[in-house]
């Protein structure tokens, strides 16, 4: 299986320039090791997903793109595809589970997309139905080389800003984010390690990497975690990237995720959704399981329901 290359990622960086924010590395002097935060919650749609979605939509042949795009998502990819479709002036149909946080649904609609709510587990089938009905193009959330290459631009920026980085911690679910970041980091700084971080209650990637083959967890099991953006499973494409490029994985508990949302708000002045907080949670609660050295934790998004944020800050 062909993996995304550094050339693919560099080309993606050129396409998304001016549309995705080049986020800084924010020092975290409150941590017990040299730590920098990569705050992708500062993107226009509040999450890293804009990188891959914009790159994928930009790379569709213009005549084909005019017919519109379709996406299925738990929320952040939905907003990203809607944002990209609006930028190119094309229609978008976004399929999301009925339990998607309201803040994400409303944000998706604000970009002019038509949001289609479905029962849990029916996102993909409904998306393919719309593709056939509308003759539109599917932009998957992670299982596509253009999406992976777009997410990989984060890795380019990390190494450019911290050339001697030793460890990059990345939230993992479907695997597009870590696949792209690992491809970039390993190409530019092979001695650096890239580790995945996953909720204990949705640890299908950890199980898969341990067994050397994809291990499926039920939707019901994966949906137990508060990290609603980390409830997907890797695809053969993203798993191939992880097996080739990812050095390790650590899982974090629900209490660790919750407390880290509050730490990021109070110490780093960053609003992180639970999914976005898991990499930092690994540093704060599982440092003894991680390699030492200069560490970057990716905060993948900040689209959290205000009521949930208030609850976690009060805890």
């Amino acid at each position: 299986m062909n993996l995304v290359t550094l050339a693919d990622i560099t080309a993606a960086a050129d396409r998304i320039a001016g549309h995705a924010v080049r986020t800084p590395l924010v020092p975290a002097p409150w941590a017990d090791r040299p730590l920098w935060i990569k705050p992708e919650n500062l993107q226009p749609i509040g999450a890293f997903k804009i990188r891959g979605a914009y790159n994928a939509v930009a790379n569709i042949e213009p005549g084909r793109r005019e017919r519109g795009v379709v996406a299925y998502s738990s929320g952040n990819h939905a907003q990203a595809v809607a944002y990209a479709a609006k930028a190119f002036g094309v229609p978008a149909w976004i399929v999301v589970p009925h339990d998607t946080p309201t803040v994400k649904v409303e944000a998706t609609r604000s970009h002019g997309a038509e949001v289609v709510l479905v029962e849990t587990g029916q996102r993909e089938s409904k998306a393919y139905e719309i593709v056939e009905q509308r003759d539109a193009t599917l932009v998957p959330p992670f299982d596509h080389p253009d999406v992976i290459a777009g997410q990989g631009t984060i890795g380019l920026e990390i190494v450019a800003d911290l050339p001697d980085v030793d460890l990059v911690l990345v939230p993992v679910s479907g695997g597009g984010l870590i696949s792209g970041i690992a491809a970039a980091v390993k190409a530019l700084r092979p001695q650096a390690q890239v580790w995945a971080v996953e909720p204990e209650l949705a640890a299908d990637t950890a199980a898969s990497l341990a067994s050397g083959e994809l291990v499926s967890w039920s939707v019901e099991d994966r949906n137990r975690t508060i990290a609603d953006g980390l409830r997907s499973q890797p695809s053969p494409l993203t798993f191939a990237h992880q097996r080739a490029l990812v050095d390790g994985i650590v899982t974090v508990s629900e209490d660790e995720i919750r407390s880290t949302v509050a730490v990021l708000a109070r110490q780093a002045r960053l609003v992180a959704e639970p999914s976005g907080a898991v990499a930092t949670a690994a540093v704060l609660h599982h440092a003894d399981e991680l390699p030492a050295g200069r560490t970057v934790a990716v905060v993948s998004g900040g689209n959290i329901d205000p009521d949930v944020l208030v609850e976690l800050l009060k805890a």
Side-chain angles (χ1 to χ4, degrees):
M1 188 174 293
N2 293 329
L3 303 186
V4 166
T5 67
L6 183 60
D8 297 327
I9 298 168
T10 302
D14 290 339
R15 290 191 195 98
I16 71 173
H19 299 280
V21 173
R22 191 194 186 289
T23 53
L25 288 184
V26 179
W30 37 269
D32 291 333
R33 65 163 64 201
L35 175 66
W36 289 260
I37 305 296
K38 182 68 167 168
E40 288 295 294
N41 55 316
L42 301 182
Q43 292 293 347
I45 58 97
F48 75 96
K49 291 283 191 177
I50 189 174
R51 296 174 182 263
Y54 193 92
N55 186 52
V57 173
N59 218 18
I60 299 171
E61 189 276 322
R64 179 75 187 157
R65 188 170 57 218
E66 289 178 1
R67 301 172 194 170
V69 293
V70 179
Y72 56 89
S73 168
S74 61
N76 286 335
H77 181 64
Q79 294 179 65
V81 174
Y83 180 96
K86 182 179 180 180
F88 283 98
V90 301
W93 296 269
I94 313 294
V95 184
V96 301
H98 67 88
D99 58 353
T100 298
T102 301
V103 64
K104 295 183 179 181
V105 174
E106 292 177 349
T108 302
R109 287 186 174 132
S110 73
H111 296 302
E114 180 177 334
V115 175
V116 181
L117 296 171
V118 297
E119 293 299 316
T120 302
Q122 296 180 3
R123 298 182 306 174
E124 293 185 41
S125 59
K126 184 61 177 179
Y128 281 106
E129 180 183 317
I130 296 171
V131 165
E132 185 173 343
Q133 290 173 346
R134 302 287 186 172
D135 193 26
T137 300
L138 181 70
V139 181
F142 50 84
D143 189 28
H144 194 286
D146 288 341
V147 174
I148 293 172
Q151 321 306 23
T153 59
I154 295 172
L156 295 182
E157 295 171 11
I158 289 172
V159 177
D161 291 349
L162 190 65
D164 56 353
V165 62
D166 296 306
L167 174 64
V168 180
L169 298 172
V170 187
V172 68
S173 179
L177 176 61
I178 196 166
S179 295
I181 289 177
V185 171
K186 291 295 186 177
L188 295 170
R189 183 166 165 79
Q191 63 269 50
Q193 292 202 28
V194 179
W195 279 53
V197 188
E198 187 173 43
E200 289 177 357
L201 295 186
D204 50 291
T205 298
S208 297
L209 289 171
S211 69
E213 61 184 15
L214 286 171
V215 174
S216 180
W217 282 33
S218 70
V219 172
E220 291 74 21
D221 279 347
R222 287 180 277 122
N223 281 1
R224 293 174 299 164
T225 179
I226 189 175
D228 60 275
L230 301 181
R231 294 171 178 169
S232 296
Q233 299 191 109
S235 68
L237 177 62
T238 59
F239 189 58
H241 282 78
Q242 291 178 65
R243 289 195 68 188
L245 301 169
V246 173
D247 298 286
I249 186 167
V250 64
T251 60
V252 292
S253 72
E254 296 297 291
D255 285 345
E256 290 165 352
I257 296 170
R258 290 170 178 269
S259 66
T260 303
V261 171
V263 169
L264 285 166
R266 294 182 180 126
Q267 299 289 348
R269 282 73 176 177
L270 293 172
V271 174
E273 60 190 275
S275 303
V278 298
T280 309
V283 177
L284 298 181
H285 299 283
H286 297 268
D288 58 338
E289 300 173 43
L290 300 170
R294 294 167 293 274
T295 301
V296 172
V298 176
V299 172
S300 54
N303 293 316
I304 185 171
D305 185 283
D307 292 337
V308 175
L309 179 58
V310 169
E311 172 195 337
L312 297 183
L313 290 175
K314 286 180 177 179

